Amino acid sequence: RNGAAQSLAAAPRSVCRNWAREIETQLTDLDGLLAPSTMTGSANVVLWQRGADGIPSAPQFSRPLDHPDVRRLLGSACVAIGYRLI
């Protein structure tokens, strides 16, 4: 939408940071960006400081890493991104 080439996602981090800084400066009604992950291609939500109030102060779900529910969630995530859970 802003005239950036698709190759921006693979540009050096410094270039991407500069773009993000300029977008933050120019579009003050935005709280952040939706950007593709360089690892998975899936969308990542990237918030600026002004978007911090959109993050809950406490998690809705909190369990130890060895809890069966966490293991199940990790297993699903691993399948989705092609990783192996060990």
Side-chain angles (χ1 to χ4, degrees):
R1 290 183 181 170
N2 292 311
Q6 181 63 27
S7 62
L8 184 59
R13 287 188 178 120
S14 60
V15 171
C16 297
R17 285 185 191 124
N18 287 338
W19 268 83
R21 237 181 255 112
E22 280 302 310
I23 292 169
E24 179 188 17
T25 301
Q26 300 292 322
L27 303 173
T28 57
D29 58 328
L30 296 180
D31 287 339
L33 297 172
L34 190 62
S37 166
T38 56
M39 290 185 65
T40 66
S42 298
N44 283 329
V45 176
V46 181
L47 294 176
W48 291 301
Q49 185 61 40
R50 64 177 169 247
D53 61 349
I55 299 173
S57 59
Q60 293 179 354
F61 177 86
S62 179
R63 303 284 186 280
L65 289 177
D66 61 354
H67 190 279
D69 290 344
V70 173
R71 185 117 180 127
R72 195 169 25 261
L73 289 169
L74 287 173
S76 296
C78 286
V79 167
I81 62 174
Y83 280 25
R84 183 172 58 100
L85 183 59
I86 53 173

